[in-house]
Amino acid sequence: QNQQQPQQQPQPQGRQRKPIPIPAPKFSSSTVEPEKAMPHVSTKFGPKQQNQQIQQQQRQRPRRVRYFIIRSYNQENVDISINVGGWATTKHNEIKLNEAYATCDEVRLVFSVNGSNCFQGYAVMCTPVGQYRSIIWSNGKAFGNAFGVEWRCVFNLEVWHVKHLLNPLNDNKPVHVARDGQEV
């Protein structure tokens, strides 16, 4: 049997160069144009090299995730949200959620039905506020400007399991002591 064995590449001699890390972009609370968000991305390369450089930076930088408590008047509205993949909230919360959606990698919404003493699960925002079809809630009416959500986990977690967790964004109160739209 005449099988050829693959030739081995000669190993380089001497010290190997370590790749120089590219600094991660700085985050800000305002919306930034893409070319200003990553000013360290060189434009002297072609599109393929720029794309590779951006992908490398995205792997290196930490993900920015923000969390908000969402209060629902009843379990039926949470069930509707799970089925249709959308939610709507008050004008005050719309501003906060849109700002978070525009400036973060992910916005997670932790749902709790008023009076349930539980968290019912969490969903991730998929669209900005106002970019989703109207939703008819349990009272038979549409409410606010809807936005898309993707439910990641549905469960009933009693609040006594998280009473030890304090929210520094809410005067160090326990996380379950929060109004609708409170950031955690």
Side-chain angles (χ1 to χ4, degrees):
Q1 313 298 350
N2 221 359
Q3 291 185 359
Q4 288 185 335
Q5 298 221 351
Q7 291 182 341
Q8 291 187 354
Q9 296 287 335
Q11 295 296 322
Q13 299 296 320
R15 286 184 14 186
Q16 298 256 341
R17 287 189 182 194
K18 292 184 181 179
I20 299 171
I22 299 171
K26 303 287 187 233
F27 293 106
S28 70
S29 60
S30 62
T31 305
V32 180
E33 295 171 11
E35 59 275 1
K36 291 181 182 173
M38 292 196 238
H40 52 276
V41 175
S42 172
T43 56
K44 66 181 176 182
F45 301 113
K48 185 175 180 181
Q49 289 87 358
Q50 283 179 338
N51 192 29
Q52 289 171 343
Q53 194 175 14
I54 290 169
Q55 287 174 352
Q56 180 183 6
Q57 290 169 355
Q58 289 173 340
R59 285 191 298 271
Q60 290 176 349
R61 75 179 167 98
R63 286 179 50 112
R64 177 108 192 260
V65 179
R66 288 173 67 182
Y67 298 81
F68 294 87
I69 302 292
I70 300 296
R71 296 285 186 183
S72 175
Y73 289 115
N74 56 48
Q75 180 65 46
E76 292 81 20
N77 286 343
V78 173
D79 294 338
I80 290 169
S81 175
I82 293 167
N83 288 328
V84 302
W87 189 255
T89 188
T90 63
K91 288 276 186 213
H92 177 70
N93 289 340
E94 288 177 0
I95 295 166
K96 286 192 286 189
L97 293 176
N98 261 346
E99 185 271 332
Y101 185 81
T103 60
C104 293
D105 296 318
E106 192 168 270
V107 178
R108 294 183 183 176
L109 308 173
V110 181
F111 285 78
S112 179
V113 172
N114 290 339
S116 69
N117 287 323
C118 291
F119 290 107
Q120 279 67 38
Y122 83 92
V124 175
M125 280 184 76
C126 297
T127 69
V129 175
Q131 302 277 322
Y132 197 76
R133 68 185 192 285
S134 271
I135 302 169
I136 304 300
W137 299 105
S138 62
N139 63 2
K141 298 178 182 174
F143 170 79
N145 293 314
F147 55 93
V149 296
E150 177 187 324
W151 281 84
R152 298 273 176 91
C153 190
V154 177
F155 60 90
N156 276 326
L157 176 68
E158 295 178 2
V159 296
W160 67 267
H161 289 290
V162 295
K163 279 192 174 191
H164 64 286
L165 298 176
L166 304 179
N167 184 1
L169 301 176
N170 191 19
D171 298 326
N172 281 324
K173 294 178 183 174
V175 293
H176 71 281
V177 178
R179 294 180 183 266
D180 183 36
Q182 173 63 55
E183 186 168 6
V184 179

